[in-house]
Amino acid sequence: MKKTESSQPREGAMFIRNYIRPETPLRESERARLRIAKLFLNTASTSGFNAHDFSGVVEEELGINYPKGISGHFSHERFWTKADIADILSAITIWFHTTHKPGEFLKEVRRIFREEHLGYRIDDKGGVHFLVDEEFERTVAAAVAGLGAPRFAAALHALHEAMAHLGTTRQSGKGLIRGVFEAVESAFLAVIGDPKVNRLNGEVLDKHLKPLLLARYSGHGDAEDLADRFMDHFKAWVKSAHPFRHGTPLEQIHEAPLDLAIMSATQGIGYLRFLASLSAPA
């Protein structure tokens, strides 16, 4: 459904106002939190920035209790390292509007986001946004949650590596496609559990995945047709991503347009989630 103008993310608005729903999962980084905390403390001590006023605005705008230390004073390091990530992203906007040096602030926080490969960007008015969009982040987060089993550790690592190619430092459409392909391939190999198979292609999909589909949907009268249609789509995705797989030197592949790479990644992550829900044949 197309968003109305009023539902579009607004520049300069706090992240929590633009995006947050109760079920919205968010990516974060402990290293980025600590770096932001240190930047905040350095700013407060060197630029005349009133950190106490900032804390009050955070409480007023976000409806949370700003943490305090044993002495009863506001604990800024605890806030930046322990608060909910949605509150952190929204507090960055508050910080922007209360600092005396917004240009320097944007430069430094953007650098942290970039170097830590976070899936967000900051607009020129201090508003934080998803690098792609909310639905894409939901899809990624759901895939990460589904790959929690130890057998999917390699697939999860590959997915994280793929998402790093959306950052401004390493942004690469071919890297994104390649990483998601590796994640899907790894998950597929973990599911079928056949040591003689080490590649994902149409032939091994027919041999190993189709029996799983037929067993899973055996109660459906059109199970065979359903499985064939699924296989056709999956094999088409594999074929489209194959030029970017790990067997081809990355530098020898033409860069993929980012919008097409995101579309391919979205499809691949869907297959990844599906594979993570399957059990290997007995």
Side-chain angles (χ1 to χ4, degrees), residues 30-224:
E30 290 185 10
R31 188 189 299 268
R33 281 175 172 265
L34 184 58
R35 291 181 65 184
I36 292 171
K38 296 303 182 184
L39 176 63
F40 182 89
L41 293 172
N42 290 338
T43 300
S45 64
T46 61
S47 68
F49 170 68
N50 193 320
H52 187 278
D53 287 350
F54 164 84
S55 307
V57 176
V58 166
E59 289 190 327
E60 180 180 341
E61 292 294 326
L62 302 184
I64 62 174
N65 290 318
Y66 203 92
K68 294 181 179 180
I70 298 176
S71 65
H73 295 110
F74 287 127
S75 175
H76 303 299
E77 184 164 352
R78 186 190 299 179
F79 171 74
W80 290 107
T81 58
K82 301 298 183 183
D84 184 88
I85 184 60
D87 292 329
I88 295 297
L89 297 174
S90 298
I92 285 173
T93 304
I94 295 174
W95 183 2
F96 171 84
H97 289 291
T98 53
T99 185
H100 300 303
K101 299 179 179 180
E104 184 176 320
F105 160 86
L106 280 179
K107 177 182 177 181
E108 292 302 314
V109 180
R110 282 170 171 169
R111 181 171 67 88
I112 293 172
F113 276 28
R114 181 175 65 249
E115 292 175 354
E116 299 302 331
H117 308 299
L118 296 182
Y120 311 101
R121 64 177 180 84
I122 308 175
D123 65 42
D124 291 338
K125 297 180 180 179
V128 181
H129 308 269
F130 291 112
L131 266 178
V132 181
D133 58 34
E134 187 174 2
E135 291 306 316
F136 183 80
E137 288 298 324
R138 289 176 187 273
T139 300
V140 173
V144 169
L147 295 173
R151 64 176 177 152
F152 294 127
L156 182 59
H157 176 75
L159 180 60
H160 283 309
E161 285 291 303
M163 293 305 105
H165 287 289
L166 283 174
T168 54
T169 299
R170 297 173 53 189
Q171 191 169 87
S172 168
K174 63 185 177 184
L176 177 62
I177 295 173
R178 177 173 176 169
V180 172
F181 183 91
E182 289 185 7
V184 172
E185 182 175 67
S186 179
F188 172 76
L189 297 178
V191 167
I192 65 172
D194 187 339
K196 292 181 290 186
V197 178
N198 59 10
R199 289 288 184 269
L200 174 63
N201 55 44
E203 182 180 351
V204 297
L205 281 172
D206 282 330
K207 182 177 180 180
H208 295 279
L209 182 59
K210 188 173 180 179
L212 291 178
L213 295 177
L214 292 175
R216 180 169 180 146
Y217 301 115
S218 59
H220 292 257
D222 58 347
E224 184 82 26

